[in-house]
Amino acid sequence: MAAITTAVPDSTGSSRLATLRSRARLSWLAAVRDALSRPLANYYLLLASVALLLTIGLLMVLSSSSVEAFEESGDSYSIVKRQLLWVAIGIPLAFVASRLSPKWVRSLSYPAFSVSLVLLLATAKFGVEVYGNKNWLPLGPVQIQPSEIAKFSIIIWAAHIYANKERRLTSLHQMMVPVVPGMLLATGLVVVGHDLGTALVFFAILVGMLWVVGAPMRLFAICLSVVSVLALGLAATSSERLARITTFVDPFKDFEGTGWQPAHGLYAMATGGVFGQGIGASQQKWGALPEAHTDFIFAVLGEELGLVGTLLVIGLFLTIAYATVRIARQTTDPFVRYCSFGIVIWLLGQMMINVGMVLALLPVIGIPLPLVSYGGSSLLPTLVALGLVVGFARREPAAARALAQRRRARASGLSARR
C-alpha cells in the first residue's frame, strides 16, 4: 500500500515572507519620515501641491467651459484664456508675496482691512446682483468680488492683532476685541448682499481663529447657535435660497427646479466611476450642469477623472494644510503662526464647503473651489496668500540655511567654470 503523505505548510517560509513585508513597510515609512524631516520639506510640499492644483484647475476649466465659451463667443478657448491671464498675473504676485517680510506684511494689515470694508460697503450699495446675491462690484471694464479679497485681509488683520496680544490672550475680552466686532462688521456687509456662502466662510475663519487662540468651548456653542438662527433667517428672506436649503438632502424632489444643479452634479460624479470618462469626455457640461466651470467644477472633475482624480485634488489640499500647519507649529513668530492657521482654515473650509455642495451634503450656496474654479477674484487672493505661506516656509531657520548653502554652492560652481 502506498504511503499517504500530507503537505505541511512551510511555516518558516511564511514567517520569512511576513518579516520581509514588515521590513519593506518600515523602510518605506522611514523614507517618508526622512523626507519630511528635511529642512525644505514644507517649502517643496507647498510648491508642488499648488502647482499641481493650478495645472488640474486649468485643464478642468478648459474642459468644463469649452461648450459655454463656444456658445457665447464662438471660441471654445475664450474662458480658459482669461483664466490663463489670471494665472499669469497671480504667479508673479505670489512670488512677490513670498519675498515680503512678516514685519512689512503686518504694516499693511489695517490699511488692507479698511480697504476691504470700503469695498464691501460699496458692493452692498452699488453691487451687481447675480443669482440673488449682490456680491459683484463693477470697476470699469471688469467686475470683482471684494469678499474674496476681504477673506485674506481679515486673516492678516486678525493675525496682526493676536500677535500683538500674544501675552494677554488668557483674557476672553482680549480674544474678542477688536477681532470679533471687526469680523462681524465684515460679515454683516456680506449678509446685506444676501451672500450666505461667503458669510459662512467668514464665520469659519472667525471660529477657527478663536479656536487657535484658545477661546473656551462655551463660546463656540453660543456662536454656532447664533449663526444657525441668522442663517435660517437669511435663507427665509429669499424663496430661491430657502428652496435650495430645503431640497439639498434630496435634489430629485424638485428635479426640474432647485434640485436641477445638485442632481446633475451627482449624475456627473456617479458617471465618473473610479477612473473617470477621460479629460474632455464629460456629458454634463453640455448645458445640463449650470456653473460647470465655477462652483460645480468638482463635479466635472469627478466625471472626467473619476474617484482617483477627486481624491488626488482633496489630497493636494490636505498636503497644503499639513505643510502650513507644520510651519505654524514650528515657528516662534506669533504672527506667522496665526496667519498660517487662518489661511489653512480659509482654504480648507472653502474646499470642504464646495465639495459638500457637489455631493449634496450641503446646500448650493455659490462657493468656488480654490485654485481650481474659474475666476480671478478668487484665484488672485488665494495665490497671494499661498505665496505668503511659501515665504514663511523659506524663512524657517533650517530652510533659510539650506537655501543659503545652495546659493553659495551655485555661486562657487559658476566661479569654477570661469
Side-chain angles (χ1 to χ4, degrees):
M1 180 181 293
I4 299 175
T5 58
T6 303
V8 179
D10 187 358
S11 59
T12 305
S14 300
S15 62
R16 284 179 180 175
L17 182 60
T19 302
L20 289 174
R21 287 176 177 172
S22 177
R23 286 179 180 175
R25 191 180 302 110
L26 289 174
S27 63
W28 181 81
L29 290 174
V32 171
R33 279 196 296 267
D34 178 64
L36 292 176
S37 65
R38 294 179 181 179
L40 293 170
N42 296 332
Y43 177 70
Y44 286 126
L45 282 174
L46 286 168
L47 286 181
S49 300
V50 172
L52 281 171
L53 281 172
L54 275 178
T55 303
I56 293 171
L58 286 172
L59 285 173
M60 287 298 99
V61 169
L62 169 61
S63 175
S64 59
S65 68
S66 57
V67 176
E68 181 176 334
F70 186 80
E71 288 179 346
E72 290 180 353
S73 64
D75 180 6
S76 298
Y77 304 104
S78 62
I79 293 179
V80 76
K81 285 177 184 176
R82 292 199 294 270
Q83 186 73 349
L84 277 169
L85 176 62
W86 291 123
V87 171
I89 296 172
I91 289 176
L93 290 177
F95 177 81
V96 171
S98 70
R99 262 55 182 180
L100 297 178
S101 68
K103 183 178 179 181
W104 201 86
V105 175
R106 292 181 68 173
S107 69
L108 296 175
S109 59
Y110 272 96
F113 181 64
S114 302
V115 170
S116 296
L117 289 180
V118 170
L119 289 174
L120 288 174
L121 182 61
T123 304
K125 188 170 181 61
F126 307 108
V128 177
E129 188 171 319
V130 178
Y131 299 118
N133 297 336
K134 189 190 285 189
N135 53 5
W136 290 92
L137 181 65
L139 294 177
V142 298
Q143 291 183 353
I144 65 169
Q145 274 187 298
S147 57
E148 296 295 331
I149 303 170
K151 294 171 187 175
F152 183 35
S153 63
I154 281 173
I155 291 169
I156 294 175
W157 175 72
H160 171 67
I161 291 172
Y162 283 143
N164 286 338
K165 295 185 172 186
E166 173 77 0
R167 296 182 180 179
R168 293 174 284 161
L169 290 177
T170 53
S171 166
L172 181 60
H173 175 77
Q174 297 293 338
M175 293 179 188
M176 299 283 287
V177 180
V179 171
V180 173
M183 285 194 175
L184 289 179
L185 175 59
T187 305
L189 291 173
V190 170
V191 169
V192 169
H194 304 289
D195 190 352
L196 179 59
T198 302
L200 288 176
V201 174
F202 279 22
F203 172 70
I205 294 171
L206 172 60
V207 170
M209 295 296 281
L210 288 173
W211 178 77
V212 168
V213 298
M217 291 304 297
R218 67 178 183 276
L219 182 62
F220 298 113
I222 295 170
C223 288
L224 184 60
S225 302
V226 171
V227 168
S228 299
V229 172
L230 291 176
L232 289 174
L234 181 62
T237 61
S238 169
S239 57
E240 180 183 354
R241 191 179 296 110
L242 184 62
R244 286 183 178 183
I245 291 175
T246 54
T247 60
F248 84 92
V249 177
D250 185 6
F252 299 95
K253 282 185 177 179
D254 187 18
F255 181 75
E256 297 294 335
T258 55
W260 180 270
Q261 189 176 24
H264 282 276
L266 291 175
Y267 282 150
M269 297 294 288
T271 305
V274 177
F275 298 106
Q277 302 294 314
I279 295 177
S282 169
Q283 297 296 314
Q284 296 301 320
K285 69 181 181 183
W286 289 83
L289 180 63
E291 306 299 325
H293 60 293
T294 55
D295 298 344
F296 267 69
I297 197 168
F298 191 77
V300 178
L301 188 148
E303 185 178 8
E304 296 189 351
L305 301 182
L307 179 64
V308 173
T310 58
L311 291 180
L312 172 62
V313 168
I314 293 172
L316 290 172
F317 276 107
L318 293 177
T319 302
I320 291 174
Y322 171 74
T324 307
V325 169
R326 274 169 50 111
I327 294 167
R329 289 173 62 88
Q330 294 168 4
T331 187
T332 57
D333 186 335
F335 173 75
V336 172
R337 183 187 313 120
Y338 297 131
C339 188
S340 298
F341 272 120
I343 291 171
V344 164
I345 294 161
W346 163 28
L347 298 182
L348 205 60
Q350 192 160 315
M351 181 271 290
M352 293 170 67
I353 292 173
N354 180 272
V355 172
M357 282 190 333
V358 173
L359 297 178
L361 299 175
L362 293 172
V364 178
I365 49 178
I367 294 295
L369 185 61
L371 296 174
V372 180
S373 292
Y374 168 78
S377 293
S378 172
L379 182 64
L380 294 185
T382 302
L383 283 176
V384 172
L386 288 169
L388 201 63
V389 177
V390 169
F392 295 158
R394 286 173 54 86
R395 291 181 187 86
E396 289 181 305
R401 287 193 296 269
L403 288 171
Q405 184 178 2
R406 181 177 299 177
R407 283 193 295 269
R408 287 194 296 268
R410 191 178 301 158
S412 62
L414 290 174
S415 300
R417 288 179 187 177
R418 291 175 184 173

Short mmCIF file of all heavy atoms in Angstrom, two decimals, residues 27-45 322 326:
data_model
loop_
_atom_site.label_atom_id
_atom_site.label_comp_id
_atom_site.label_asym_id
_atom_site.label_seq_id
_atom_site.Cartn_x
_atom_site.Cartn_y
_atom_site.Cartn_z
N SER A 27 10.73 50.33 6.11
CA SER A 27 11.70 51.12 5.35
C SER A 27 10.99 52.22 4.56
O SER A 27 11.53 53.32 4.42
CB SER A 27 12.49 50.21 4.40
OG SER A 27 11.63 49.61 3.44
N TRP A 28 9.79 51.92 4.06
CA TRP A 28 9.03 52.94 3.33
C TRP A 28 8.63 54.07 4.26
O TRP A 28 8.78 55.25 3.92
CB TRP A 28 7.80 52.30 2.70
CG TRP A 28 6.97 53.26 1.91
CD1 TRP A 28 7.19 53.68 0.64
CD2 TRP A 28 5.79 53.94 2.36
NE1 TRP A 28 6.22 54.57 0.24
CE2 TRP A 28 5.35 54.76 1.28
CE3 TRP A 28 5.06 53.94 3.54
CZ2 TRP A 28 4.22 55.56 1.38
CZ3 TRP A 28 3.93 54.74 3.64
CH2 TRP A 28 3.51 55.53 2.56
N LEU A 29 8.15 53.72 5.46
CA LEU A 29 7.78 54.74 6.43
C LEU A 29 8.98 55.55 6.87
O LEU A 29 8.91 56.76 7.07
CB LEU A 29 7.11 54.08 7.65
CG LEU A 29 5.72 53.48 7.42
CD1 LEU A 29 5.24 52.73 8.66
CD2 LEU A 29 4.72 54.57 7.06
N ALA A 30 10.12 54.85 7.02
CA ALA A 30 11.33 55.56 7.41
C ALA A 30 11.77 56.54 6.32
O ALA A 30 12.23 57.64 6.62
CB ALA A 30 12.45 54.55 7.69
N ALA A 31 11.60 56.13 5.05
CA ALA A 31 11.95 57.03 3.95
C ALA A 31 11.06 58.25 3.92
O ALA A 31 11.52 59.38 3.68
CB ALA A 31 11.86 56.27 2.62
N VAL A 32 9.76 58.06 4.20
CA VAL A 32 8.83 59.20 4.24
C VAL A 32 9.19 60.13 5.38
O VAL A 32 9.22 61.36 5.22
CB VAL A 32 7.38 58.69 4.37
CG1 VAL A 32 6.43 59.84 4.63
CG2 VAL A 32 6.96 57.95 3.11
N ARG A 33 9.45 59.55 6.56
CA ARG A 33 9.82 60.38 7.72
C ARG A 33 11.10 61.15 7.44
O ARG A 33 11.23 62.32 7.83
CB ARG A 33 9.97 59.50 8.96
CG ARG A 33 8.65 59.16 9.63
CD ARG A 33 8.88 58.64 11.05
NE ARG A 33 9.64 57.40 11.04
CZ ARG A 33 9.10 56.19 11.03
NH1 ARG A 33 7.78 56.06 11.03
NH2 ARG A 33 9.85 55.11 11.04
N ASP A 34 12.05 60.50 6.78
CA ASP A 34 13.32 61.16 6.47
C ASP A 34 13.09 62.32 5.51
O ASP A 34 13.68 63.41 5.68
CB ASP A 34 14.29 60.15 5.86
CG ASP A 34 15.61 60.78 5.47
OD1 ASP A 34 16.31 61.27 6.37
OD2 ASP A 34 15.92 60.82 4.26
N ALA A 35 12.24 62.10 4.50
CA ALA A 35 11.96 63.17 3.53
C ALA A 35 11.26 64.35 4.21
O ALA A 35 11.56 65.51 3.91
CB ALA A 35 11.10 62.63 2.39
N LEU A 36 10.31 64.05 5.11
CA LEU A 36 9.57 65.13 5.78
C LEU A 36 10.41 65.85 6.82
O LEU A 36 10.06 66.98 7.22
CB LEU A 36 8.31 64.56 6.44
CG LEU A 36 7.23 64.05 5.48
CD1 LEU A 36 6.08 63.43 6.26
CD2 LEU A 36 6.71 65.17 4.59
N SER A 37 11.49 65.24 7.28
CA SER A 37 12.34 65.89 8.28
C SER A 37 13.39 66.80 7.65
O SER A 37 14.12 67.48 8.38
CB SER A 37 13.04 64.83 9.14
OG SER A 37 13.93 64.06 8.34
N ARG A 38 13.49 66.83 6.34
CA ARG A 38 14.47 67.68 5.68
C ARG A 38 14.08 69.15 5.80
O ARG A 38 12.90 69.48 5.89
CB ARG A 38 14.63 67.27 4.22
CG ARG A 38 15.23 65.87 4.07
CD ARG A 38 15.36 65.47 2.62
NE ARG A 38 15.91 64.12 2.51
CZ ARG A 38 16.11 63.47 1.37
NH1 ARG A 38 15.80 64.08 0.22
NH2 ARG A 38 16.62 62.26 1.36
N PRO A 39 15.08 70.04 5.77
CA PRO A 39 14.79 71.47 6.02
C PRO A 39 13.79 72.10 5.06
O PRO A 39 13.02 72.98 5.46
CB PRO A 39 16.17 72.12 5.89
CG PRO A 39 17.15 71.03 6.12
CD PRO A 39 16.51 69.78 5.62
N LEU A 40 13.82 71.67 3.80
CA LEU A 40 12.97 72.31 2.79
C LEU A 40 11.71 71.50 2.48
O LEU A 40 11.08 71.72 1.44
CB LEU A 40 13.77 72.52 1.49
CG LEU A 40 14.91 73.54 1.60
CD1 LEU A 40 15.78 73.50 0.36
CD2 LEU A 40 14.36 74.94 1.79
N ALA A 41 11.34 70.58 3.36
CA ALA A 41 10.19 69.71 3.08
C ALA A 41 8.91 70.53 2.93
O ALA A 41 8.15 70.35 1.97
CB ALA A 41 10.04 68.68 4.19
N ASN A 42 8.63 71.43 3.88
CA ASN A 42 7.41 72.24 3.80
C ASN A 42 7.40 73.10 2.55
O ASN A 42 6.36 73.26 1.90
CB ASN A 42 7.30 73.13 5.05
CG ASN A 42 7.14 72.33 6.32
OD1 ASN A 42 6.60 71.22 6.30
ND2 ASN A 42 7.60 72.88 7.43
N TYR A 43 8.53 73.67 2.23
CA TYR A 43 8.66 74.54 1.05
C TYR A 43 8.29 73.79 -0.22
O TYR A 43 7.47 74.26 -1.03
CB TYR A 43 10.10 75.05 1.01
CG TYR A 43 10.46 75.90 -0.17
CD1 TYR A 43 9.94 77.19 -0.31
CD2 TYR A 43 11.34 75.45 -1.15
CE1 TYR A 43 10.28 77.99 -1.39
CE2 TYR A 43 11.69 76.24 -2.22
CZ TYR A 43 11.16 77.51 -2.34
OH TYR A 43 11.51 78.29 -3.40
N TYR A 44 8.85 72.60 -0.40
CA TYR A 44 8.59 71.84 -1.62
C TYR A 44 7.19 71.23 -1.64
O TYR A 44 6.58 71.10 -2.70
CB TYR A 44 9.65 70.75 -1.81
CG TYR A 44 10.98 71.30 -2.25
CD1 TYR A 44 12.15 71.02 -1.55
CD2 TYR A 44 11.07 72.12 -3.38
CE1 TYR A 44 13.37 71.53 -1.95
CE2 TYR A 44 12.29 72.64 -3.79
CZ TYR A 44 13.43 72.36 -3.08
OH TYR A 44 14.63 72.87 -3.48
N LEU A 45 6.68 70.84 -0.48
CA LEU A 45 5.31 70.32 -0.43
C LEU A 45 4.32 71.40 -0.89
O LEU A 45 3.40 71.12 -1.66
CB LEU A 45 4.96 69.88 0.99
CG LEU A 45 5.51 68.53 1.45
CD1 LEU A 45 5.21 68.32 2.93
CD2 LEU A 45 4.95 67.39 0.62
N TYR A 322 -1.32 70.35 5.66
CA TYR A 322 -0.30 69.69 6.50
C TYR A 322 0.97 70.52 6.57
O TYR A 322 1.52 70.76 7.67
CB TYR A 322 -0.02 68.30 5.93
CG TYR A 322 1.16 67.60 6.57
CD1 TYR A 322 1.05 67.05 7.85
CD2 TYR A 322 2.38 67.48 5.90
CE1 TYR A 322 2.12 66.41 8.44
CE2 TYR A 322 3.45 66.85 6.48
CZ TYR A 322 3.32 66.32 7.75
OH TYR A 322 4.39 65.69 8.34
N ARG A 326 2.44 72.57 9.87
CA ARG A 326 3.81 72.32 10.36
C ARG A 326 4.58 73.63 10.53
O ARG A 326 5.31 73.83 11.52
CB ARG A 326 4.55 71.41 9.38
CG ARG A 326 4.32 69.93 9.64
CD ARG A 326 4.84 69.08 8.49
NE ARG A 326 6.19 69.39 8.11
CZ ARG A 326 7.24 68.57 8.30
NH1 ARG A 326 7.07 67.43 8.94
NH2 ARG A 326 8.43 68.90 7.86
#
